């Protein structure tokens, strides 16, 4: 998806603001002797920006608009080192809500819906993003925040919530709890808007069938507004994203060269109209591809495929590059195993080893199933993992992001 002339004009305005504000990116451009671009080729010569650049700007180095125009900050969870602080102007907050309203509309959600929001509120962009978009739409918000499953279910029944906004693992936990308590006939949910986490088709089917709802994947990251920059439509052929606010490229994470539409690589995002903290060619480290062609829904907005993982999830096992999504794809072909799994990488006797834990019910031969899974991984990816089959319910569920890949080599 080549950058358009209109988008080039918008990038130039973002560049000017960054240079005028003396931000890290403005300095990068000055060092590279770039003051603007005129063609798509020029755009591809612009330097990338990275999470580390943003961390180094802590606390308010990213602020690009005058202080009196900043109305809010958000922060990404800093698991390592300093967090990233993103300042927003009133227009940024409003633009984000407009994008989020489009997401709800794309999912067929209207102002007659009652939207139960379970992601966290506060410095995170999650809860408040879901909320502002829903208010922009005119729907009734039930702002629960995370956890407290008893209260969640009570409100879900009493308020007759029709839409659940959640992470996939929390949606699964709620679905299992609803079935355990036998209260499905008191639940009025029709749709789920599920964000911020990679999840397999199996888990999706389980949540969808246990709750009897349609599911929509929402995409976004704190550095670029927050959740709400893209969502799938009812045809479920990838996530439409808002190219009047963002320009998205897919690059090869090793050579850093842009890839043609359809090829899997790293998502790189440029904001087109952001004021508080514009970002040019920001490397997300999320893996996906741009889906070529038109969607049957007729929407003019381009599409990104479901997030396939993170570039930093790439593992080297016995000299072979492996993404967890490849293992997940293989597990999906085994109807006997549940949607939960765990991958553990360790270094034993001088060799890297991958152990895969999967769950199944008691009706199959665990040993044979393990052998078949290991054989499929060997033939598709090129090495033999140790596969351990366990009883259904043994692997951990969590209210937060499930940790499915545990690398024990460096701990
Ligand atoms: Zn569509």
């Amino acid at each position: 998806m080549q950058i358009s002339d209109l988008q080039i004009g918008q990038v130039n305005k973002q560049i000017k603001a960054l240079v005028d504000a003396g931000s890290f990116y403005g300095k990068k451009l000055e060092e590279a002797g770039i003051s603007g671009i005129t063609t798509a080729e020029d755009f591809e010569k612009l330097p990338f920006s990275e999470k580390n650049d943003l961390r180094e700007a802590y606390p308010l180095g990213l602020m690009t608009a005058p202080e009196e125009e900043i109305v809010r900050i958000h922060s990404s969870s800093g698991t390592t080192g300093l967090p990233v602080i993103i300042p927003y102007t009133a227009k940024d907050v409003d633009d984000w809500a407009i994008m989020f309203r489009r997401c709800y509309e794309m999912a067929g959600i209207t102002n007659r819906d009652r939207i139960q929001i379970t992601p966290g509120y506060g410095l995170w962009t999650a809860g408040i993003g879901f909320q502002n978009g829903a208010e922009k739409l005119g729907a009734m918000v039930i702002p629960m925040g995370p956890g407290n499953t008893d209260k969640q279910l009570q409100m879900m029944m009493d308020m007759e919530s029709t839409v659940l906004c959640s992470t996939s693992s929390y949606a699964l936990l709620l679905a299992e709890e609803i079935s355990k308590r036998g209260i499905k006939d008191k639940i009025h949910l029709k749709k789920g808007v599920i964000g911020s986490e990679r999840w397999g088709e199996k888990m999706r089917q389980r949540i969808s069938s246990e709750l009897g709802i349609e599911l929509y994947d929402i995409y976004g990251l704190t550095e670029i507004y927050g959740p709400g920059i893209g969502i799938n439509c009812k045809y479920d052929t990838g996530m439409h994203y808002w190219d009047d606010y963002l320009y998205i490229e897919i690059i090869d994470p090793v050579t850093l060269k842009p890839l043609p539409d359809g090829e899997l690589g790293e998502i790189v995002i440029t904001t087109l109209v952001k004021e508080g903290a514009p970002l040019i060619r920001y490397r997300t480290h999320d893996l996906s591809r741009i889906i070529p062609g038109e969607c049957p829904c007729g929407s003019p907005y381009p599409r990104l495929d479901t997030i396939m993982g993170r570039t930093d999830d790439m593992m080297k096992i016995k000299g072979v590059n492996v993404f967890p999504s490849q293992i997940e794809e293989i597990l999906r072909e085994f109807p006997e195993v549940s949607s939960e799994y765990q991958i553990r990488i360790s270094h034993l006797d001088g060799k890297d080893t991958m152990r895969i834990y999967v769950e199944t019910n008691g009706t199959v031969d665990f040993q044979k199933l393990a052998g078949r899974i290991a054989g499929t991984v060997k033939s598709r990816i090129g090495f033999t993992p140790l596969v351990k089959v366990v009883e259904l319910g043994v692997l951990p569920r969590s209210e937060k992001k499930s940790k499915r890949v545990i690398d024990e080599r460096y701990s």
Side-chain angles (χ1 to χ4, degrees):
M1 185 103 344
Q2 211 183 35
I3 191 162
S4 70
D5 288 343
L6 172 68
Q7 290 170 325
I8 287 175
Q10 290 171 318
V11 169
N12 278 327
K13 281 191 192 145
Q14 300 268 281
I15 287 176
K16 182 168 185 313
L18 288 163
V19 172
D20 290 350
S23 82
F24 81 91
Y25 198 83
K27 287 186 189 122
K28 267 193 189 186
L29 289 177
E30 279 178 342
E31 277 164 26
I34 300 171
S35 58
I37 57 167
T38 50
T39 64
E41 292 71 47
D42 291 347
F43 178 80
E44 287 174 10
K45 288 184 196 124
L46 291 174
F48 292 102
S49 36
E50 285 271 11
K51 186 130 184 176
N52 224 22
D53 298 322
L54 275 49
R55 277 202 194 101
E56 280 169 12
Y58 185 88
L60 281 170
L62 295 177
M63 191 162 75
T64 303
E67 160 103 45
E68 56 272 29
E69 289 176 22
I70 301 298
V71 299
R72 190 200 286 174
I73 61 120
H74 280 292
S75 162
S76 68
S77 47
T79 43
T80 50
L82 292 169
V84 169
I85 305 286
I86 304 288
Y88 294 65
T89 65
K91 180 178 181 291
D92 293 337
V93 168
D94 197 50
D95 284 349
W96 180 21
I98 292 169
M99 286 190 272
F100 218 125
R101 179 184 63 196
R102 276 189 201 166
C103 288
Y104 285 127
E105 287 168 344
M106 191 60 88
I109 295 164
T110 73
N111 57 7
R112 297 300 308 271
D113 277 298
R114 297 179 180 182
I115 304 183
Q116 183 156 341
I117 297 173
T118 73
Y121 284 79
L123 280 172
W124 292 5
T125 49
I128 201 162
F130 281 96
Q131 167 131 4
N132 287 350
E135 288 179 355
K136 196 91 174 161
L137 181 70
M140 186 199 292
V141 171
I142 301 135
M144 298 298 296
N148 201 345
T149 301
D150 285 335
K151 184 100 188 215
Q152 294 280 4
L153 294 175
Q154 196 62 50
M155 290 299 269
M156 195 178 279
M157 292 187 285
D158 297 346
M159 295 299 117
E160 302 188 0
S161 307
T162 58
V163 176
L164 172 68
C165 299
S166 160
T167 61
S168 55
S169 37
Y170 196 50
L172 180 62
L173 188 144
L174 288 172
E176 288 180 337
E177 211 47 48
I178 287 166
S179 115
K180 205 188 290 173
R181 296 179 190 200
I183 53 173
K184 199 174 166 196
D185 57 335
K186 298 195 180 82
I187 301 292
H188 294 77
L189 291 179
K190 290 196 218 91
K191 287 168 184 183
V193 179
I194 308 293
S196 80
E197 196 176 6
R198 186 167 54 81
W199 52 319
E201 195 49 40
K202 269 221 157 120
M203 184 161 179
R204 195 189 174 92
Q205 278 163 10
R206 252 183 89 198
I207 297 168
S208 167
S209 68
E210 294 222 3
L211 290 175
I213 59 175
E214 283 170 27
L215 294 175
Y216 294 86
D217 285 310
I218 197 156
Y219 181 57
L221 51 161
T222 302
E223 296 88 325
I224 313 282
Y225 297 98
I229 64 177
I231 193 168
N232 57 302
C233 66
K234 66 175 178 181
Y235 291 95
D236 202 12
T237 58
M239 301 180 287
H240 290 282
Y241 64 89
W242 320 124
D243 63 348
D244 44 352
Y245 288 93
L246 309 161
Y247 177 66
I248 292 188
E249 302 166 86
I250 302 292
I251 65 162
D252 179 319
V254 178
T255 66
L256 306 182
K257 292 274 176 267
L259 292 169
D261 291 355
E263 283 189 29
L264 183 69
E266 179 179 343
I267 301 174
V268 171
I269 306 181
T270 296
T271 63
L272 296 173
V273 292
K274 212 157 184 256
E275 295 178 337
L279 287 176
I280 308 276
R281 304 195 86 197
Y282 181 66
R283 293 187 60 186
T284 65
H285 293 276
D286 285 333
L287 288 172
S288 184
R289 61 191 189 104
I290 287 178
I291 298 176
E294 262 185 39
C295 181
C297 77
S299 165
Y301 292 108
R303 288 168 296 160
L304 267 179
D305 207 342
T306 314
I307 307 303
M308 303 287 288
R310 302 267 307 157
T311 56
D312 11 80
D313 289 343
M314 198 166 83
M315 304 167 284
K316 220 179 178 87
I317 310 289
K318 299 173 183 168
V320 183
N321 283 339
V322 193
F323 289 109
S325 50
Q326 291 174 288
I327 303 290
E328 190 175 295
E329 233 165 78
I330 289 172
L331 294 178
R332 212 179 284 164
E333 295 168 21
F334 290 84
E336 310 90 310
V337 307
S338 83
S339 57
E340 297 302 306
Y341 63 88
Q342 207 173 71
I343 298 170
R344 284 179 175 265
I345 320 291
S346 49
H347 196 75
L348 288 174
D349 307 326
K351 281 187 294 189
D352 288 338
T353 312
M354 178 187 281
R355 279 171 295 155
I356 305 173
Y357 292 84
V358 296
E359 284 182 349
T360 189
N361 61 33
T363 61
V364 297
D365 184 323
F366 284 18
Q367 208 72 40
K368 277 186 189 155
L369 177 61
R372 283 195 293 132
I373 294 173
T376 311
V377 173
K378 167 76 179 158
S379 70
R380 296 278 174 81
I381 309 179
F383 69 95
T384 307
L386 293 170
V387 180
K388 182 98 179 107
V389 180
V390 299
E391 289 279 353
L392 202 62
V394 166
L395 294 176
R397 268 78 172 154
S398 98
E399 292 186 7
K400 287 201 174 159
K401 295 186 183 190
S402 296
K403 194 150 172 48
R404 295 217 166 82
V405 181
I406 298 160
D407 197 331
E408 295 166 334
R409 287 175 299 183
Y410 311 108
S411 56

